[in-house]
Amino acid sequence: MGAGSDTTDEKAEYNKNAEFVSVSTKEVDTAAELGSGAQGPLDPNEALRVRRKIDYHILPLMCGEVQFMDKTTLGSSAILGIRESTHLTTNQLGTIFYLSYLIFEYPQNLCLQRFPVGKWMSFNISIWAIALCAHAACKNFAGLFVVRLILGMCEGSITAGFLIVSSMFYTHKEQTLRVGYWFLMNGTAQIISGFISFGTLHITTPSFEPWQWLMIITGIITLIVALCFWFLFPDSPTNAWFLTPEERVIAVRRIKENQTGVENKHFKKEQMFEALMDPKTWLFALFAAFSNVPNSLTNQRQIIVSSFGFTNLQTTLLGCVDGVIEIITIYTGVNLASRLPNSIAYVSVIYFIPNILGVFLINFLPWSNKVGLLFGQWLTGVGTTGFVLALSWLSNVTAGHTKRVTVNAIMLSAYCIGNAAAPFMWQAKYKPRNHIPWIIIGVCYVCCMAIMLTIRYVLAAENKRRDAEPADNTYEDVYIERTTKEGVVEKVKVDKEFLDLTDIQNRDFRYVL
């Protein structure tokens, strides 16, 4: 940014005579120079044009990263013969991946802050693709343990990276929609995976089984996606290759209303500690854990549907319906939440109700009623909308880049804990009705509804408290220094929105409800 970044003391220095605070550029947001200062009102038509350009270049890549298809390949492979070939148990199918995800989640988030986001995700997707293909060479538990460990390690960068990028490029309202759009592509991935699984069942080769073909095909698709990310996915609006210098300024100023800035590559320990002490961090983590105990159905779904009495061919095709349901419900849910003011928690609660109905149907319908049981199973996919809304909500109510990285890591770690623990409830002694697992799932849905309403209550109370406070002028006169092309050192006033303040430090911050 100029000479101002090379200071002997990176902490703020207060100049009493000049009555301003001079800070190092490492302390402020990377977009401070682009987005601050008196630049006149932002033309709404130009802002809309830039947003559409961002959508055109970013959304196809995020939607094309079919991470969910990669995760569900093991569940699909269970129907295609992997358990018999490698002597796996049902519990092992769903746990290895998420334990690795959990261990590497925070290191991945730190790397996302330190390194260019797009390049780091591309690197991880490439390793991911190689690990997927390597599944085909595995003949026992030890081999699968290694490749699943690698998959989980790489997965930690994807959702966290997408959340960071969404907050960089989009306003609060836009984030709810965009997070929903790239997450609902998981439903599309389920459909693609279902058809690929169906196709591999028809491949007859003497030394290569259908599940091995599934891993090779999905691995190749993932490698193509990794190459696209490396060359096309932007790291930040401040250096996005598809935006002109003028458009980058507009892109940064567009998100000024978020009061969260773009990013800061400097790790701030005080923000990490604040994240750990913030009650809403742990409420969101608790929600993530409870909402992802039922997510064990991801790997169990096809096994369960098969137990209803459907053939392997019918099971792989019926799995496509789960994808359709996920697409429809997430799309409608995020659109409702973005159009109805202060409704995120309420919409989330409403979308959990069909899940509870599904649990009742599966527990009480006669075992001979295959259609009814299948319908109940499909209903349990509606509540995914609640988790998607929670992801976007967390991003909207957290400011300060290090804090945002930390809370993302905590929530996704809790997501891993729920996913890793849940497969152990699918015991052979509970088959075929699995009453105990389904009761646990039903209780988790009720807890999720209660937690979302609690988060809303806490944030609404804090907003009221801040509305009653006097105006806070602490950060009104903050400057960075930069050197012009002519060699002149000048002061640039930094707007509060680009000081990389946390949501607690910035008393003008209001929590989205």
Side-chain angles (χ1 to χ4, degrees):
M1 280 213 185
S5 60
D6 299 322
T7 59
T8 56
D9 184 359
E10 293 180 2
K11 297 180 180 179
E13 295 180 0
Y14 183 66
N15 186 324
K16 292 183 178 179
N17 296 324
E19 296 185 348
F20 66 84
V21 178
S22 177
V23 297
S24 163
T25 52
K26 288 185 178 181
E27 297 297 318
V28 300
D29 195 87
T30 55
E33 196 171 326
L34 288 177
S36 296
Q39 304 178 56
L42 186 61
D43 184 346
N45 292 326
E46 277 295 291
L48 179 61
R49 182 184 65 80
V50 170
R51 194 206 72 192
R52 286 173 176 166
K53 194 171 183 179
I54 292 169
D55 282 342
Y56 178 78
H57 287 86
I58 290 181
L59 279 182
L61 286 167
M62 289 200 289
C63 292
E65 206 300 289
V66 284
Q67 55 170 318
F68 194 81
M69 183 173 69
D70 297 338
K71 286 189 290 185
T72 55
T73 49
L74 199 54
S76 301
S77 298
I79 301 299
L80 301 179
I82 192 173
R83 287 188 299 171
E84 293 76 15
S85 298
T86 57
H87 313 292
L88 282 177
T89 68
T90 301
N91 290 346
Q92 290 168 339
L93 284 173
T95 302
I96 302 167
F97 175 90
Y98 288 105
L99 285 177
S100 175
Y101 193 146
L102 173 63
I103 293 168
F104 289 98
E105 182 55 39
Y106 195 57
Q108 282 282 17
N109 274 267
L110 292 179
C111 289
L112 285 168
Q113 180 177 17
R114 179 66 180 85
F115 302 115
V117 176
K119 299 297 184 294
W120 183 250
M121 284 197 291
S122 175
F123 170 75
N124 278 274
I125 298 170
S126 300
I127 302 299
W128 190 349
I130 295 169
L132 266 177
C133 292
H135 278 66
C138 297
K139 299 297 182 183
N140 51 39
F141 171 75
L144 275 178
F145 180 89
V146 173
V147 292
R148 297 306 288 179
L149 188 75
I150 295 171
L151 276 189
M153 176 180 67
C154 296
E155 163 73 5
S157 69
I158 306 304
T159 301
F162 282 1
L163 288 173
I164 290 172
V165 170
S166 297
S167 65
M168 283 182 182
F169 283 91
Y170 295 108
T171 64
H172 288 319
K173 183 177 179 180
E174 294 166 354
Q175 283 177 49
T176 301
L177 285 173
R178 271 60 185 187
V179 171
Y181 290 160
W182 56 254
F183 204 99
L184 68 79
M185 290 305 292
N186 289 337
T188 304
Q190 281 184 277
I191 296 171
I192 296 171
S193 179
F195 280 114
I196 293 176
S197 300
F198 179 77
T200 56
L201 276 170
H202 293 81
I203 300 176
T204 53
T205 49
S207 57
F208 228 59
E209 296 186 41
W211 68 267
Q212 292 173 304
W213 281 114
L214 176 65
M215 295 298 184
I216 292 293
I217 292 169
T218 53
I220 292 172
I221 293 173
T222 305
L223 187 58
I224 294 171
V225 172
L227 291 173
C228 292
F229 263 70
W230 182 269
F231 292 107
L232 300 175
F233 199 75
D235 299 311
S236 163
T238 61
N239 60 11
W241 64 269
F242 55 85
L243 296 177
T244 65
E246 294 76 17
E247 289 171 339
R248 291 172 188 172
V249 174
I250 295 172
V252 168
R253 294 183 64 200
R254 257 181 22 86
I255 63 163
K256 194 172 181 179
E257 65 183 71
N258 294 351
Q259 301 207 39
T260 56
V262 173
E263 65 174 343
N264 186 297
K265 294 297 184 183
H266 182 57
F267 182 80
K268 300 180 179 180
K269 289 188 293 185
E270 66 276 11
Q271 289 195 11
M272 181 191 72
F273 292 136
E274 182 180 305
L276 295 174
M277 299 300 293
D278 193 338
K280 73 174 184 294
T281 299
W282 300 106
L283 284 171
F284 275 106
L286 197 61
F287 173 86
F290 276 118
S291 64
N292 282 284
V293 169
N295 200 40
S296 60
L297 290 168
T298 296
N299 284 323
Q300 294 287 335
R301 197 177 302 274
Q302 291 187 313
I303 300 171
I304 294 170
V305 172
S306 179
S307 72
F308 292 160
F310 295 98
T311 67
N312 286 351
L313 285 174
Q314 290 171 331
T315 300
T316 54
L317 288 178
L318 287 171
C320 299
V321 179
D322 297 300
V324 173
I325 292 170
E326 186 166 342
I327 292 170
I328 294 172
T329 54
I330 293 177
Y331 180 83
T332 56
V334 296
N335 274 278
L336 276 174
S338 65
R339 293 181 183 183
L340 300 175
N342 304 320
S343 65
I344 294 177
Y346 298 143
V347 172
S348 178
V349 167
I350 290 170
Y351 274 73
F352 274 115
I353 294 174
N355 291 53
I356 296 174
L357 175 60
V359 170
F360 274 101
L361 289 175
I362 291 174
N363 272 296
F364 295 113
L365 282 176
W367 191 242
S368 58
N369 189 346
K370 289 198 299 182
V371 174
L373 292 170
L374 185 62
F375 183 74
Q377 171 91 354
W378 285 337
L379 281 177
T380 60
V382 176
T384 306
T385 303
F387 181 67
V388 175
L389 289 173
L391 278 177
S392 63
W393 198 11
L394 179 66
S395 183
N396 285 335
V397 298
T398 308
H401 197 71
T402 301
K403 182 177 182 179
R404 194 156 62 230
V405 164
T406 304
V407 297
N408 284 347
I410 291 172
M411 183 175 183
L412 292 173
S413 295
Y415 156 89
C416 294
I417 292 171
N419 275 292
F424 290 100
M425 67 185 180
W426 299 99
Q427 302 286 337
K429 61 184 177 181
Y430 299 136
K431 292 181 179 179
R433 293 308 303 254
N434 289 307
H435 284 304
I436 299 300
W438 282 110
I439 290 171
I440 294 172
I441 286 173
V443 171
C444 286
Y445 289 143
V446 174
C447 290
C448 287
M449 298 164 76
I451 293 169
M452 288 298 269
L453 293 176
T454 301
I455 293 173
R456 190 186 192 284
Y457 174 81
V458 170
L459 296 183
E462 179 60 23
N463 281 347
K464 288 182 180 178
R465 189 178 300 112
R466 295 188 182 193
D467 289 341
E469 291 177 355
D472 181 14
N473 299 319
T474 305
Y475 304 98
E476 290 302 316
D477 295 304
V478 180
Y479 296 81
I480 57 174
E481 292 184 349
R482 68 178 177 188
T483 304
T484 65
K485 293 180 180 179
E486 292 75 24
V488 178
V489 178
E490 61 180 7
K491 295 191 299 291
V492 179
K493 186 178 186 297
V494 182
D495 295 339
K496 183 184 289 188
E497 294 85 352
F498 297 107
L499 287 175
D500 192 39
L501 301 175
T502 67
D503 51 279
I504 292 179
Q505 289 174 321
N506 183 2
R507 306 309 292 177
D508 289 336
F509 189 96
R510 294 297 180 271
Y511 294 106
V512 176
L513 302 176

